[in-house]
Amino acid sequence: MNTALLPQLQVFLVVARLRSFSGAARELGVSTPAVSQSVRQLEEQLRVVLLTRTTRSVSLTEAGRRLVEGAGPALGQALATLTEVSARPGETVGRVRLSVPRAAVPSVITPVVPTFRERHPRIEVEVVIEERFVDIVAEGYDAGVRLSEAIERDMVQVRLTDAFRFIVVGAPSYLERHGTPQRPEDLLRHECITFRMRTSGALYAWELERGRRNWRVPVRGGVVTNDTQLSVSLAEQGLGLAYTLEPMVREQLREGRLVTVLESYAPTVPGFFLYFPSRAQRSPALRLFVDVARELTRLAS
C-alpha cells in the first residue's frame, strides 16, 4: 500500500476502535467530515468497503476486520517508534491508555498520575473510566485496572492495593427510620440502591460471606445506577443502603456520615491490580508508569 495512505489508515483505525466517526473526530481533533473523507479515500485506494455505516451505528466489514487485525498493531508500533526517536537522549515520550473502574480512581489513579506526569511530561496519560469488562487488547488500551478475579489469567498483573472488604453501608438517619439488618436475608426488606451491570444489563446481587457460607442477595430499591460513587452519595443522604468497597468510604465512616452494617458478613477481595499483555512490557512508557505506580502504592507485584 502507498505510504501516503498511512494518515488515512491511522484515522480508520481510530474509527474502528471507537465505532464512531464523531468520536474519532473528537479524539483526533479534526472535523467529522474530515474523518469520513479520510476513510473514504482509504476505501477508494484499496477498492474495498471497510466500514458499514448506518444513521445509528458503524461496524467493520470482513475486510475492515482483517485490516484492523493485520495493520493495527504494526502501525501502532511504527508510530510509537517514530515518537520515541524524536525524544532527546534519556527522555521517554509516548502515551499510556488505561481502562479503570471509578472505584479505583481515588486509591490508584489520583495518587499516581500527577507524580508520573511531573516526572515524565512527554508521556500522555489517557484514563477511561468504565465499569464494564474490557478486552484491553481489542479496544486499544495499554493496560487496565481491575479486581484480580476479573482479569484473564494470561495477563501480567501488578498489585496496586492491599486486600480490602466490600461492605454494606447506610446513613444513621436511614437506620433510625428502618432499623439495622442483622442477616443477609434482611436486606430483602430494605431499600437498597442497586447497581446495574453495564456488560450484561442485569442488576447486581450483593455478595456476602461468613465462614464457608456465601450469599448472593437479589436486593431491590427505588434507585438503580451504574455508578458506585453516586450510590454512596445517595446512601449518605438517607435514600437507602449501598454496597461498596471499604476504601471508598473511609472518610464517611470516620466522620459518622455512614455506618457499616452486616460487618461480619463482609467479603474480602485481594485488591486492585494493574494488568496488561506480556508483550506490552516492551513499551517504555508503560514500564515507567508501572514503576511509578508500584512506588507510590508501596507494593510490588
Side-chain angles (χ1 to χ4, degrees):
M1 183 174 62
N2 191 326
T3 56
L5 288 175
L6 286 177
Q8 286 88 345
L9 177 57
Q10 184 179 5
V11 170
F12 161 73
L13 291 173
V14 176
V15 175
R17 169 165 55 83
L18 299 177
R19 296 294 197 272
S20 168
F21 282 85
S22 59
R26 286 192 296 272
E27 180 168 315
L28 296 168
V30 299
S31 67
T32 301
V35 169
S36 181
Q37 182 180 3
S38 291
V39 173
R40 186 167 58 252
Q41 288 173 346
L42 182 62
E43 290 177 323
E44 290 173 354
Q45 184 70 24
L46 297 177
R47 298 180 181 177
V48 66
V49 176
L50 301 171
L51 296 168
T52 300
R53 311 158 175 84
T54 70
T55 56
R56 301 181 64 180
S57 66
V58 175
S59 59
L60 290 168
T61 64
E62 177 61 21
R65 183 189 62 78
R66 290 170 55 196
L67 183 58
V68 169
E69 292 177 352
L75 180 61
Q77 185 61 44
L79 292 173
T81 302
L82 286 172
T83 303
E84 289 168 15
V85 299
S86 70
R88 294 188 295 271
E91 180 183 49
T92 301
V93 298
R95 183 179 77 156
V96 176
R97 188 166 185 260
L98 305 170
S99 170
V100 182
R102 184 174 298 280
V105 171
S107 58
V108 174
I109 298 302
T110 302
V112 172
V113 170
T115 299
F116 179 78
R117 287 284 298 145
E118 182 180 356
R119 294 181 186 178
H120 306 287
R122 295 198 63 190
I123 299 178
E124 174 188 338
V125 180
E126 179 180 353
V127 181
V128 179
I129 307 300
E130 51 194 349
E131 306 300 333
R132 66 188 178 91
F133 294 120
V134 176
D135 184 336
I136 59 172
V137 175
E139 298 193 33
Y141 291 99
D142 296 291
V145 175
R146 289 292 184 276
L147 298 174
S148 59
E149 61 261 31
I151 301 174
E152 295 179 2
R153 296 308 166 196
D154 60 347
M155 293 284 174
V156 178
Q157 298 187 34
V158 176
R159 176 181 285 280
L160 296 178
T161 72
D162 282 318
F164 53 76
R165 300 187 306 171
F166 275 88
I167 57 176
V168 180
V169 296
S173 59
Y174 173 86
L175 298 176
E176 289 173 6
R177 294 194 310 271
H178 301 279
T180 301
Q182 301 298 319
R183 302 175 304 162
E185 295 84 355
D186 294 344
L187 292 172
L188 297 174
R189 296 188 292 274
H190 277 265
E191 183 75 12
C192 296
I193 301 167
T194 52
F195 184 87
R196 190 175 299 282
M197 305 291 289
R198 295 192 183 188
T199 304
S200 65
L203 292 178
Y204 177 69
W206 291 2
E207 299 180 64
L208 301 170
E209 65 181 38
R210 189 173 188 177
R212 296 184 179 180
R213 188 174 176 188
N214 299 287
W215 290 261
R216 289 179 58 86
V217 186
V219 297
R220 292 294 182 268
V223 177
V224 179
T225 181
N226 60 2
D227 185 89
T228 51
Q229 190 170 346
L230 176 60
S231 67
V232 168
S233 176
L234 295 176
E236 281 189 70
Q237 298 177 57
L239 268 70
L241 302 175
Y243 183 85
T244 185
L245 59 160
E246 193 168 18
M248 193 173 183
V249 292
R250 282 198 179 115
E251 181 179 346
Q252 293 93 323
L253 294 172
R254 184 173 60 250
E255 296 177 356
R257 289 180 281 148
L258 288 173
V259 176
T260 305
V261 301
L262 297 172
E263 188 162 10
S264 61
Y265 295 89
T268 299
V269 295
F272 281 120
F273 290 75
L274 184 74
Y275 70 100
F276 46 86
S278 58
R279 65 176 180 272
Q281 295 181 86
R282 296 194 295 265
S283 164
L286 180 58
R287 285 202 303 270
L288 290 171
F289 187 86
V290 171
D291 289 344
V292 173
R294 279 175 164 162
E295 174 190 342
L296 296 182
T297 55
R298 297 188 177 91
L299 292 168
S301 60

